[in-house]
Amino acid sequence: SYIYLHENGKDDDGAAMTAYIESGYMDIDDGENFSFVSRIVPDVRFSSGDALDIILTPKEFPNSTAGTALTSTVSSTTGQSRVRLRGRQFSIRFESDESGVGWTLGDTRLDIRQDGRK
């Protein structure tokens, strides 16, 4: 006996709702070499709220389990975030799970270079 208006607002009927967008796994040089990610330059516009997590998850091989994820929290005043992540592949996820947060994703940049295994 309820009518819901979808795609309106930022929450789940007053409760916080997890919103995210996640990439597939990426690599450099056809996956033959490891990548080292050292910096994130976020491009996020907040329409409300002011907190977003950027989560990088590494893998050594396509069929291996994911490694330990690295989380960087950004806000509207974050110019860059220094990180240290190494892996043959990695994925990136933008996520918010607080009440009243609305955001639009732009062209986030990562500093990535080829690196050795250790």
Side-chain angles (χ1 to χ4, degrees):
S1 298
Y2 292 99
I3 297 177
Y4 287 96
L5 181 60
H6 290 274
E7 306 301 328
N8 187 23
K10 316 281 188 287
D11 298 325
D12 179 16
D13 201 19
M17 180 170 58
T18 300
Y20 71 92
I21 184 166
E22 185 171 11
S23 75
Y25 282 92
M26 305 173 257
D27 54 41
I28 60 172
D29 196 25
D30 292 329
E32 293 300 316
N33 295 299
F34 277 66
S35 300
F36 178 71
V37 181
S38 60
R39 182 171 69 140
I40 302 170
V41 180
D43 184 7
V44 180
R45 188 187 76 218
F46 290 93
S47 58
S48 62
D50 196 30
L52 175 76
D53 290 333
I54 299 177
I55 303 162
L56 298 170
T57 306
K59 283 176 82 171
E60 283 201 40
F61 297 100
N63 292 331
S64 65
T65 59
T68 303
L70 180 145
T71 302
S72 178
T73 301
V74 299
S75 69
S76 60
T77 59
T78 303
Q80 65 181 349
S81 179
R82 295 286 180 179
V83 296
R84 295 181 58 86
L85 182 89
R86 183 176 285 110
R88 192 178 307 272
Q89 297 180 314
F90 67 93
S91 69
I92 185 167
R93 177 180 173 119
F94 301 86
E95 176 180 299
S96 62
D97 59 1
E98 295 180 12
S99 185
V101 177
W103 48 273
T104 303
L105 185 60
D107 294 328
T108 295
R109 294 180 299 257
L110 303 172
D111 278 351
I112 306 169
R113 67 175 167 86
Q114 183 176 318
D115 200 26
R117 188 173 183 127
K118 294 285 179 191

